[in-house]
Amino acid sequence: MLKRTIFEEEHNIFRQTVRAWAERELYPHRETWREAGCVTEDVWRSAGSEGFLCMYADQKYGGLGLDDFRYDMILCEELGPREPGFFIWAHNRIMGPYLQHIASDAQRDRYMRGVVSGETVLAIGMTEPGTGSDLAGIKTRAVEQDDHWVLNGSKTYISNGVLAGLVIVAAKTDPDDPRAIGLFLVESGSEGFSRGRNLKKLGLHSQDTAELFFDDIKVPKSNVLGDPRGGFKAMMKNLAEERLISAVAFVSRAEYAFEKTLEYVTERRAFGRPVGTFQNSRFKMASARTELDAAWALLDHCVREHLQGALSAEMAAEVKLFTSEVEARVVDECLQLHGGAGYMDEYEISRLYSDARISRIYAGTSEIMREIIGRGLGLDERKRN
């Protein structure tokens, strides 16, 4: 197994704190949350009280003023495999940075304290019916009127959509410019804002994933994040970190699947011997171990680049593509090694298998990742003579 060198002593201490909290506050509720299709507001507040939410926020908001990606990496590694529906990593590293880096002081004064305490769960409304990874193709519109904007449209597949107290909504602000997109802060309870179904999914059963609807919502100009035409650029800039934290989740789940399978093939016996001692089992586990070590090495390299502000869009696409594909292969092989038991929901490998299928889709599909990487190589069909 690869010896990782990315963490320092304070990170290891933090990991132990996270593990103890999870055993006490998270894991005992897993089955209840799966059945409900949603975690509870209490667990968000508990995470906030521990200082786990948006640690980079200023201390005046209850944050730690600590912008070290590795702490959120640890949260994702520890919590994600056993309770993947608690999207703390998305709150911290996908939605939160918009408030941290783009919001005005007045906007942070209004919202950041609740975001840090867990009183306000964040969601971001990008995806729409018919416009998956194509952000330039969104249909939601915002029209400027006097001292406000009028917002109309809908979003789907929105993580944290049921519990979100504040939604960052991407909307077109110029019908003649597909990249003129504004980011609007819409509070829960706003007139004209409604939620549809908590969507039933193949996996991630405790993650609240919802449809959101915006019907003539009057959004005050004070709730526009930055330039009302500059949201596309802001989203593109934040996607590298989104793909990086997603990659952490993918490798962590695959590692957990490997650990559970190693236990199973060591204990399970067939023909008078442990299943793991058969050549096929040994070779499959050896291949999985090798792929996991390669994935961890690439991931940790990308984290180092990110900590130095040097992670490129192409490298973020590479790590997202590779780790999601490794997760798929490893979890599939691990389920196979469980035999019929692997198909039973009572075995965690079954849940890990269904949870893993989304990894090659969200945060940009594998096909889109290959497109980004290919264009970075100069292989852009738009440049053909």
Side-chain angles (χ1 to χ4, degrees):
M1 182 175 179
L2 181 75
K3 182 180 180 180
R4 302 173 70 196
T5 59
I6 195 169
F7 299 112
E8 299 169 12
E9 183 59 26
E10 56 265 32
H11 299 112
N12 297 328
I13 294 171
F14 179 73
R15 188 183 295 274
Q16 295 306 315
T17 300
V18 172
R19 285 180 179 175
W21 176 82
E23 291 289 350
R24 184 177 68 251
E25 300 289 339
L26 205 67
Y27 303 146
H29 309 291
R30 294 171 66 204
E31 292 304 318
T32 301
W33 291 340
R34 276 173 56 87
E35 292 174 7
C38 190
V39 302
T40 61
E41 294 176 345
D42 288 345
V43 74
W44 282 102
R45 289 191 286 267
S46 178
S49 68
E50 291 288 330
F52 294 161
L53 302 182
C54 297
M55 288 173 270
Y56 43 75
D58 194 282
Q59 292 181 1
K60 68 180 180 180
Y61 303 124
L64 302 177
L66 181 63
D67 194 3
D68 183 341
F69 182 85
R70 288 171 292 184
Y71 286 101
D72 283 304
M73 190 178 184
I74 290 167
L75 283 169
C76 192
E77 289 181 15
E78 292 299 319
L79 308 182
R82 291 180 63 184
E83 184 36 71
F86 181 44
F87 264 28
I88 186 173
W89 54 273
H91 178 95
N92 287 354
R93 285 292 172 175
I94 296 179
M95 297 87 162
Y98 287 96
L99 288 176
Q100 178 72 2
H101 301 303
I102 303 175
S104 65
D105 289 340
Q107 289 169 336
R108 280 190 289 270
D109 288 345
R110 198 180 325 147
Y111 296 116
M112 191 61 93
R113 185 170 296 279
V115 168
V116 171
S117 71
E119 296 292 330
T120 303
V121 179
L122 293 174
I124 187 163
M126 293 185 186
T127 305
E128 299 181 2
T131 58
S133 299
D134 180 17
L135 294 176
I138 62 175
K139 306 298 183 185
T140 299
R141 304 286 181 182
V143 178
E144 188 175 10
Q145 292 186 2
D146 300 324
D147 63 345
H148 63 274
W149 292 77
V150 177
L151 186 66
N152 280 283
S154 64
K155 303 290 180 178
T156 193
Y157 311 144
I158 305 305
S159 301
N160 294 347
V162 173
L163 292 181
L166 184 67
V167 183
I168 303 166
V169 182
K172 288 284 184 65
T173 52
D174 183 346
D176 298 322
D177 184 353
R179 297 203 171 191
I181 294 175
L183 299 174
F184 299 86
L185 296 171
V186 177
E187 299 177 24
S188 179
S190 297
E191 185 175 354
F193 173 39
S194 60
R195 307 172 206 256
R197 299 171 294 155
N198 185 357
L199 299 168
K200 302 296 184 182
K201 306 181 295 297
L202 172 67
L204 300 178
H205 291 152
S206 57
Q207 211 294 306
D208 55 311
T209 307
E211 302 167 312
L212 305 179
F213 301 98
F214 313 97
D215 184 13
D216 285 334
I217 297 180
K218 292 183 179 180
V219 181
K221 289 186 176 179
S222 59
N223 274 34
V224 179
L225 278 176
D227 180 357
R229 296 174 58 91
F232 186 86
K233 184 178 180 180
M235 289 187 290
M236 292 299 100
K237 182 178 180 180
N238 199 52
L239 276 175
E241 183 166 277
E242 176 178 351
R243 287 164 182 161
L244 184 59
I245 194 65
S246 297
V248 176
F250 306 155
V251 189
S252 301
R253 282 201 296 263
E255 183 70 46
Y256 186 59
F258 178 88
E259 292 170 0
K260 299 301 289 185
T261 304
L262 186 59
E263 292 175 9
Y264 184 83
V265 299
T266 301
E267 297 171 0
R268 180 80 165 91
R269 300 180 69 84
F271 304 103
R273 54 193 278 203
V275 170
T277 62
F278 289 95
Q279 186 185 68
N280 178 70
S281 301
R282 292 201 311 274
F283 282 13
K284 293 292 186 182
M285 293 298 286
S287 294
R289 181 68 269 158
T290 303
E291 285 209 87
L292 283 168
D293 284 348
W296 283 120
L298 177 60
L299 176 63
D300 287 356
H301 166 78
C302 288
V303 171
R304 289 190 181 93
E305 291 284 291
H306 185 55
L307 291 172
Q308 297 171 11
L311 181 65
S312 67
E314 292 80 11
M315 186 57 71
E318 285 187 36
V319 72
K320 196 276 175 181
L321 171 66
F322 184 68
T323 56
S324 62
E325 298 283 337
V326 166
E327 180 191 18
R329 290 192 293 270
V330 168
V331 174
D332 183 73
E333 291 287 11
C334 286
L335 188 147
Q336 184 70 21
L337 287 170
H338 276 73
Y343 201 66
M344 301 298 109
D345 190 60
E346 64 189 90
Y347 284 84
E348 280 199 279
I349 192 64
S350 174
R351 301 181 183 189
L352 288 162
Y353 182 86
S354 60
D355 291 341
R357 189 57 189 88
I358 190 61
S359 302
R360 288 171 284 163
I361 298 174
Y362 70 13
T365 64
S366 291
E367 291 72 25
I368 294 295
M369 296 304 98
R370 291 186 175 97
E371 187 70 27
I372 292 169
I373 297 163
R375 288 180 181 178
L377 297 172
L379 304 176
D380 188 343
E381 66 174 9
R382 294 173 297 183
K383 296 181 179 179
R384 293 182 300 179
N385 293 327

